[in-house]
Amino acid sequence: MPEVWPGTAYPLGATWDGSGTSFAVFSQHAQRIELCLFDDDDTETRFDLPESTAFVHHGYVPGLGPGQRYGFRAHGPWDPQRGHRFNPAKLLLDPYARAIEGEVTFNRAVYDHQADYRDHPDSTDSAPFVPRSVIVSPYFDWGTDRRPKRPRRDTVLYEAHVKGLTATHPGVPDEIRGTYAGMAHPLVIQHLVDLGVTAIELMPVHQFLEEQFLVDRGLSNYWGYASIGYFAPHNKYSAWGQAGQQVQEFKHMVRALHQGGIEVILDVVYNHTCEGNALGPTFCHKGLDNASYYRLSPENGRNYIDYTGTGNTLSVAQPYVLQMIMDSLRYWVEEMHVDGFRFDLASVLAREEHYVDQFAAFFDIIHQDPTMRQVKLIAEPWDVGEGGYQVGRFPPLWSEWNGRYRDTIRDFWRGEPGSLGDFASGFTGSSDLYEKTGRRPSASINFVTAHDGFTLTDLVSYNQRHNEANGENNADGERHNRSWNSGEEGPTDNEEVSQVRRRRQRALLCTLILSQGVPMLLSGDELGRTQAGNNNGYCQDNELSWIDWESVDQDLLAFTKRLIKLRTEHPVFRRRRFFEGESIMEGDLADICWFTPKGETMTLANWEQPSGRTLAVFLNGDELPTLGARGERITDTSFFVLFNAHHEPQRFSVPPELGHRLWRVEVDSASPKDPDRPVVGGVTVPSWSVIVLRENGSS
C-alpha cells in the first residue's frame, strides 16, 4: 500500500511533480476526505488525506503519476436543512481534475438521497456508475506557438460546436470526425481561413455529463451547458482515446488553429453545474461541500437559489468558489493557450446578494488580474433572475453579446414598423449602450443568429418553432423569434418565396458583417444550414444539428466570403471609435450622414415614421479616428449603403452633397454574382435587399 505524506494545500487538484502527486481539495465542512485510487481492474484503494489547512484537505503520494485514476469520498454531517449533504457512499470527482475518464450511468446510486425519502441518505456505492478523475502530465511541445492577438475591432467571430462542425465533413477521416483532432484538420482550418473569420468561439468544452431526463427520452446533452469539470476538456470530443490524452489533443487543436491565425474563444459555464437541485445527482461539488459551492435558500438550506433555470447556482461570492473560477480561467490561458472566453449567463457572476452589481468581486478580480487583462472577455449579459438583463451595463474590458442588436436587425428585415432608429444605432455600434461606460464599438458582439434559436436559413423560412423531436410537445424553445417565413412555412417549391428568402439571408448578412462592432457568425449559416425549424437543438446530437457538408449553398458561401473580405480590407466598417456626426477636417462632410431614398437628410419625422423601411447611410472614409503605428492619420474609401426592407423595389437618389463623387456598386444582395456597375444619379434597390456603393473618384 502506498504511503501518504502530508503534502501542501496549494496548488489545488492533483499535481504531478515527476516523483509523485500532491492532492488538495477544498471542503469547509467535511470532517475528513478520503482519496480513492483505482487500478486497471477498477479495484479501489482508499486513504485519508492526512492534513487540512484553511479548509483544504491535502496529501502527497510518492510514486504516483500520470494516467492514475482517482476520486474522493467526503465524510461529514448529513443535514439537508442546513445545506450539508455529505455521503461517503458517493464517489466524487476532483473539482480541479485536469482530465476525466468515463461517463455517468444513471442508477439510483448516483443520487445521495433515498428515492422515497429525500432527506434520508442513500447508502449505495456510486463508484460503478460515475466517471473518474485522471492525473495528467502538463508537458506539451508548443513549439513556436504564438497567439494571434487580433485587435477586437478586427475580429470576426465564428460560433461553432466541436462535434457539429466536423461530424460529417467528407475530407476529415472518420476516426477523428467530431473531435478536437477533427477541428485541427487542415481542411477545417482552411475553411475558416478562406471564409475570413479570425476567431472561433467554441461551445462548451469543459467536461460535462448527461442528464437523466434526456437519457430517458433516448436523447443526449449536445450543447454541453452542464459543466462539472472546469479544468478538463470534454472527454467525448477526444479521438485519441487513452485516459488524459484529451488534454494533449486539445492543445494540438489550439496550436493548429493559431498557425492558421485563428484565435480560440471558449464558451464557459461558471454559473451552475449539472448536479441540479436537491433532487439532482451527486458527482462532485454537492458531495464535497454543498453549503459552500452552491447558493442555498437562507430559510431552508435544502433548497437552491436558481438564477440559471437549471436548478442550482454556484456561489461565486464564496472565496474558494471564486478562486476555483479564476484558477480555471488562468489554467486555460496559461496552460492551454486559449485566447478568451464567452461567459454563459454572465449576470449570475455579478450577483452579490440578490442583485447584479457592477462592482462585484468577480469584476474586481478579473480587472486586476494580469493574465485576464490580456484576453478577450465576452459576456452573455443576462440570466433568468430578477434584474438579470444587463445588456450595455458590463464594465470596461468586456464585450457583450448584443441581444438588442439581434432583435432590432431581425425586426427591420421582417418589415416591423418603427425600427429605423434602433436599426441605425445597431448598425453604427450601439453607442447608446456602450459609449457611456467608456467602451468602444468593439464592445458590441453583433449577431442575428446563435446556437440558441433559428439558423439563418430557418429565420427566413419559419414563423413558428418546430421542436417536436425534443420530446417536450413543442413547448420548449423561444416562442417569439422575430422571424418571418417569407410567405410559406418550411420547405417550399415556390420560387418566388425561395427568392425572397435568399434575398433576406443576404441582406441580414450584409447588415451583420458591415455593422460597426464585432460580427459573430453562427457556424453553418454561410453554408445554408437548416435545423428544420428546431430553435432549441440542445438535445439533438445528430444530423439535425450537425453541419451537412454535402448540401452546401455555394453561392451563399461565396457571398459571405466577399462580405468579410470587404470588411477586412476597409477600416471604415470597423472603426476604433464611435461616429461623431461631425467632421474632423474643416469643410469636409461629417463622418456619417443619413439620408432618405430621395437623397434628403433624415429628419426627426423621418426617423419616427412608423412605416419607414428604407434608409441610406454615407460612411466617410476621410473621417476615420484611426492612427497608424507611427501616429500617421489613416483614411479609407467612402461608401454609401442603401437598405430596402420593403416588399417593393425602391429608387434611391444620390444626395446632392455626394453628387460630385463617382460611385460603383460594390455589393448587390439581390444580384450577388455580378454587382460591379457604375451609378449615375441613383439606383433602384430591389425588395428585401442591400446595395453598397463604393466611391470611385470624383467628377
Side-chain angles (χ1 to χ4, degrees), residues 13 18 57 115 134 150 238 261 296 303-304 335 395 413 416 426 444 458 468-469 471 476 511 514 545 597 664 672 681:
H57 302 254
V134 183
R150 188 93 50 178
S238 175
L296 306 179
N303 299 324
Y304 292 73
E335 297 294 330
W413 285 113
E416 282 295 293
S444 180
D458 291 353
E468 291 80 6
D476 61 302
T511 307
L514 301 184
S545 294
R664 297 190 69 86

Side-chain angles (χ1 to χ4, degrees), residues 179-191:
T179 69
Y180 305 122
M183 183 74 75
H185 192 276
L187 289 180
V188 176
I189 294 176
Q190 194 59 52
H191 173 74

Side-chain angles (χ1 to χ4, degrees), residues 220-241:
S220 63
N221 184 341
Y222 174 63
W223 284 354
Y225 291 93
S227 298
I228 196 66
Y230 292 115
F231 296 78
H234 187 57
N235 54 26
K236 291 178 72 174
Y237 295 156
S238 175
W240 293 7

Side-chain angles (χ1 to χ4, degrees), residues 47-334:
F47 312 85
D48 276 4
L49 292 177
E51 292 290 340
S52 178
T53 305
F55 306 129
V56 175
H57 302 254
H58 53 90
Y60 179 90
V61 181
L64 213 60
Q68 175 65 54
R69 296 175 300 144
Y70 71 99
F72 298 118
R73 295 181 188 270
H75 297 256
W78 174 267
D79 188 355
Q81 295 284 342
R82 296 174 56 207
H84 301 314
R85 309 184 68 92
F86 292 100
N87 187 338
K90 309 307 167 186
L91 181 71
L92 307 173
L93 290 167
D94 179 359
Y96 277 69
R98 267 48 173 184
I100 293 173
E101 179 187 69
E103 305 173 33
V104 60
T105 300
F106 281 100
N107 179 282
R108 189 64 232 168
V110 305
Y111 297 88
D112 63 8
H113 58 281
Q114 295 180 16
D116 298 327
Y117 302 97
R118 63 177 181 172
D119 282 345
H120 292 258
D122 178 89
S123 60
T124 312
D125 186 4
S126 70
F129 309 102
V130 296
R132 312 285 190 256
S133 305
V134 183
I135 301 173
V136 302
S137 168
Y139 301 116
F140 179 78
D141 182 10
W142 283 103
T144 58
D145 181 64
R146 297 183 63 183
R147 302 178 189 277
K149 290 190 175 181
R150 188 93 50 178
R152 287 197 299 176
R153 68 180 180 277
D154 297 338
T155 299
V156 179
L157 281 169
Y158 188 80
E159 189 195 24
H161 188 283
V162 168
K163 184 173 184 180
L165 183 61
T166 65
T168 70
H169 197 298
V172 176
D174 290 348
E175 61 271 19
I176 64 170
R177 289 183 181 178
T179 69
Y180 305 122
M183 183 74 75
H185 192 276
L187 289 180
V188 176
I189 294 176
Q190 194 59 52
H191 173 74
L192 300 175
V193 172
D194 290 346
L195 185 59
V197 300
T198 68
I200 188 165
E201 183 178 299
L202 294 178
M203 292 176 65
V205 297
H206 286 167
Q207 182 68 50
F208 60 89
L209 297 177
E210 293 294 349
E211 296 161 289
Q212 183 164 6
F213 78 97
L214 291 176
V215 173
D216 290 345
R217 292 183 201 160
L219 299 170
S220 63
N221 184 341
Y222 174 63
W223 284 354
Y225 291 93
S227 298
I228 196 66
Y230 292 115
F231 296 78
H234 187 57
N235 54 26
K236 291 178 72 174
Y237 295 156
S238 175
W240 293 7
Q242 296 180 339
Q245 285 298 304
Q246 59 262 41
V247 178
Q248 303 294 312
E249 187 178 339
F250 185 92
K251 291 178 178 179
H252 168 74
M253 176 194 72
V254 172
R255 184 178 62 189
L257 286 163
H258 283 177
Q259 288 172 349
I262 306 293
E263 292 182 307
V264 179
I265 311 292
L266 300 188
D267 192 339
V268 289
V269 189
Y270 294 116
N271 55 78
H272 75 280
T273 76
C274 62
E275 292 185 302
N277 59 21
L279 300 179
T282 295
F283 300 127
C284 181
H285 312 84
K286 184 183 287 187
L288 281 170
D289 194 343
N290 183 64
S292 292
Y293 278 105
Y294 294 112
R295 300 191 65 158
L296 306 179
S297 168
E299 289 79 27
N300 186 339
R302 189 210 304 147
N303 299 324
Y304 292 73
I305 295 174
D306 183 10
Y307 294 122
T308 66
T310 66
N312 67 58
T313 304
L314 278 174
S315 184
V316 180
Q318 213 284 347
Y320 274 101
V321 177
L322 185 54
Q323 178 187 340
M324 179 184 71
I325 293 172
M326 293 305 303
D327 286 348
S328 169
L329 290 169
R330 283 189 290 264
Y331 173 77
W332 288 96
V333 175
E334 295 170 355

Side-chain angles (χ1 to χ4, degrees), residues 156 405 427 508-517 519 521 559-568 573:
V156 179
Y405 175 94
F427 184 74
L508 284 160
L509 285 170
C510 276
T511 307
L512 171 66
I513 294 171
L514 301 184
S515 291
Q516 304 296 322
L521 191 67
F559 183 71
T560 308
K561 288 180 179 179
R562 191 157 64 248
L563 282 174
I564 295 177
K565 184 173 184 289
L566 180 65
R567 176 187 179 87
T568 301
F573 296 115

Side-chain angles (χ1 to χ4, degrees), residues 295 307 345-360 363 381-391 393-395:
R295 300 191 65 158
Y307 294 122
L345 300 181
S347 294
V348 170
L349 304 176
R351 288 187 181 271
E352 290 291 314
E353 292 296 326
H354 296 289
Y355 60 92
V356 179
D357 186 353
Q358 295 183 15
F359 302 99
F363 289 140
W382 50 78
D383 63 28
V384 302
E386 183 179 355
Y389 191 78
Q390 294 288 314
V391 174
R393 297 175 184 172
F394 272 67

